[in-house]
Amino acid sequence: MESSGEVMGRVFSGLLLTLVMAVLVVPLCLYAGPPVLAALAREQPQRQLVVPAHQQAPGALSSGRTEFPVPANLGAPLPDRQALGDLLDAELVVPGSGEFHGAVLDARTGEILYDLDGDAAATPASSLKVLTAAAALSVLGSDTRFETSVYEGGTPETVVLAGGGDVLLGTGESDETAVVGHAGLQTLAEETAAALSGREVSGTISIQVDDSLFTGDTLSAAWNKEDVEAGEAAALYPLAVNSAWAVEGQQYGARVDDAALAAGDAFAAALETAAAGYGFKVDPQVTRGTAGDDADRLAAVTSAPVSEQVTQMLLISDNYLAETLGRMTALKTGGEGSFDGAAAAVKAAVSGLGVNTSGMVLADVSGLGSGTEISALQLASTVRAALTSSDNSVRDLPYALPVAGLSGTLASRFTEDASTEPVGADGLPEASPAAGLVRAKTGTLFAATSLTGFVTDADGRLLSFAFVANGLEDNTAQAREAVDAAAAVLAGCGCR
């Protein structure tokens, strides 16, 4: 007959065994249950049963800067080249004309994991802006701001509005929370009026605009006339309202022919308003001129920092802003603020980041013009250089890239076609598995499309990539879908 102690011991042992079984069985059910149920339902189980944190797509952009993109798992294996190549080759093909170029690099080691004519010269379209962004951040620095100033002119009744590279001016008050309109001409005018009142100026004030910071042609010979007429670009000056778009607050459509004088006209109207009560008027006729070397500065406003301008440039693919940042980069290095100066400065800066620029030809620094030749490997290498740089300014580049399905030129991409694909419970198209995970710069011309960026794969390996299609004829949309599909492969692939 068992003693009470023996009974209690057996009870305790039973309870302990039950707990142990629970610990073992519950996880087993969680991990083994779905494949078993899928098999019973004759469905193919997914490769990855639990989505890791780095692969969980966000539903919206965060309000601030998130953790820097690093390999989510330093011990993660590299994708198998053959397995990865088979998947990418299957995506990078479209009916009709055109040829694809592609390169995928392991960000940590620089190892080339995929090479589809990756060394061949290609037309990158707006993916070129990745190089311009890297150059501006490395040379100018993230925190640099451009100044728009007012100086005394040759007579007491003359003031000179001098452009310092800010082409994102606003006509109203300066808005410290904005990128476009961070520096406002109304604020500049009010400070100017106050300074003039202290000099007891009366009568009519004449305004001159000094746009001599930039030199050379204002329109690139590489640009098509039709693109300029459509507002893709405009004559380049070192000051402009809203990146020279004709309608303030609208970032598409026509641009003004002479952004410098247009900014001068807006400043004249603002100064006329600010002058009320000070006893002087403003001549609405604005002309060009320069201030003397020893002229007193009356007032100044500063732009948003370069890091925010780079983000603006990449998000909306602003050609005018890209060319401006290129010229400001050239001036910082002692070069000329011209198209040739900008191209040379960008190429040199990217080379300084460790990218092999051999054979690279830049017709401009926005990607709009014809004649640019860059390889997919050079594009992917530039992204990798930014991901691994020890320069905090250069490390701002990954944050500036559009996010798949969420922001900028990628906001409407990496979403399924509602006419052919399932929709969610809210009736909206279901997002691609790459939505929220891929960060990349888009590029589209009539005969070319590209996608350049980075992603962390399903195993936690950080990859940089570039996919470019050239020689397209009436199949650009299909090629764009193909490069998106290739990036989605990287996002969901462990590939072994």
Side-chain angles (χ1 to χ4, degrees):
M1 186 173 181
E2 296 176 334
S3 66
S4 59
E6 291 173 331
V7 172
M8 290 299 295
R10 292 183 61 182
V11 171
F12 178 77
S13 298
L15 289 174
L16 181 60
L17 180 60
T18 301
L19 289 174
V20 170
M21 291 297 293
V23 169
L24 294 175
V25 171
V26 170
L28 180 62
C29 291
L30 290 175
Y31 282 85
V36 171
L37 292 176
L40 290 175
R42 295 185 178 179
E43 296 176 355
Q44 180 66 34
Q46 297 297 312
R47 171 185 174 275
Q48 194 162 340
L49 303 175
V50 178
V51 179
H54 69 270
Q55 280 283 303
Q56 293 177 7
L61 290 172
S62 62
S63 58
R65 182 165 166 157
T66 57
E67 184 179 356
F68 188 78
V70 295
N73 180 1
L74 292 175
L78 286 170
D80 178 78
R81 289 186 183 184
Q82 185 64 50
L84 179 62
D86 290 345
L87 291 171
L88 292 177
D89 286 345
E91 299 293 354
L92 294 175
V93 59
V94 291
S97 64
E99 59 182 8
F100 283 91
H101 306 268
V104 178
L105 305 179
D106 175 54
R108 186 181 178 190
T109 65
E111 182 177 341
I112 300 174
L113 303 176
Y114 179 73
D115 184 354
L116 178 62
D117 293 327
D119 277 327
T123 299
S126 280
S127 276
L128 172 57
K129 292 183 176 71
V130 170
L131 275 68
T132 304
L137 290 168
S138 64
V139 172
L140 297 171
S142 293
D143 297 330
T144 295
R145 298 170 186 264
F146 307 142
E147 187 175 88
T148 304
S149 308
V150 176
Y151 292 89
E152 64 178 4
T155 70
E157 290 77 28
T158 304
V159 296
V160 179
L161 174 66
D166 185 1
V167 296
L168 301 179
L169 294 165
T171 59
E173 299 282 347
S174 295
D175 184 355
E176 295 184 354
T177 66
V179 180
V180 180
H182 188 95
L185 293 176
Q186 185 64 50
T187 297
L188 184 62
E190 290 169 358
E191 293 181 4
T192 301
L196 290 173
S197 69
R199 295 169 179 250
E200 299 181 354
V201 173
S202 61
T204 301
I205 298 296
S206 297
I207 297 174
Q208 295 179 337
V209 174
D210 182 355
D211 57 9
S212 61
L213 184 66
F214 291 171
T215 56
D217 294 337
T218 58
L219 286 171
S220 172
W223 293 345
N224 292 324
K225 179 182 177 181
E226 293 78 8
D227 287 333
V228 174
E229 291 176 346
E232 294 295 336
L236 206 66
Y237 297 98
L239 72 165
V241 173
N242 187 38
S243 206
W245 270 297
V247 179
E248 189 171 9
Q250 178 175 295
Q251 294 166 344
Y252 58 89
R255 302 198 201 224
V256 297
D257 294 330
D258 192 325
L261 285 184
D265 290 340
F267 176 71
L271 187 58
E272 177 70 29
T273 300
Y278 284 119
F280 63 87
K281 294 186 179 299
V282 177
D283 186 348
Q285 187 66 37
V286 177
T287 60
R288 281 185 162 84
T290 58
D293 292 338
D294 57 351
D296 289 341
R297 188 179 68 173
L298 304 177
V301 288
T302 55
S303 71
V306 164
S307 60
E308 295 182 13
Q309 295 192 53
V310 164
T311 299
Q312 173 76 7
M313 181 261 289
L314 293 176
L315 284 179
I316 68 172
S317 201
D318 185 352
N319 298 314
Y320 199 94
L321 181 54
E323 297 294 342
T324 298
L325 290 171
R327 291 193 179 203
M328 296 303 290
T329 300
L331 290 169
K332 181 69 174 181
T333 58
E336 293 186 357
S338 62
F339 284 109
D340 288 343
V346 168
K347 184 176 179 180
V350 171
S351 177
L353 294 175
V355 177
N356 183 357
T357 58
S358 177
M360 182 184 294
V361 177
L362 302 185
D364 61 16
V365 296
S366 61
L368 179 64
S370 58
T372 290
E373 295 182 353
I374 300 178
S375 71
L377 181 58
Q378 289 168 331
L379 290 170
S381 295
T382 302
V383 175
R384 177 183 178 261
L387 288 167
T388 59
S389 176
S390 60
D391 184 334
N392 286 333
S393 289
V394 178
R395 287 164 68 97
D396 278 335
L397 174 55
Y399 297 107
L401 292 169
V403 181
L406 292 176
S407 67
T409 55
L410 283 183
S412 60
R413 289 169 64 166
F414 292 90
T415 56
E416 304 291 0
D417 184 350
S419 65
T420 59
E421 299 291 342
V423 297
D426 55 4
L428 298 175
E430 289 184 350
S432 159
L437 302 178
V438 170
R439 299 194 72 147
K441 179 69 195 76
T442 59
T444 302
L445 294 171
F446 178 77
T449 193
S450 62
L451 191 67
T452 301
F454 70 95
V455 69
T456 303
D457 74 5
D459 286 328
R461 203 82 192 191
L462 187 62
L463 310 174
S464 68
F465 66 85
F467 303 118
V468 183
N470 283 176
L472 304 171
E473 293 181 10
D474 299 324
N475 57 350
T476 305
Q478 292 92 327
R480 186 166 56 241
E481 292 174 358
V483 298
D484 285 359
V489 165
L490 297 180
C493 185
C495 299
R496 292 185 301 282

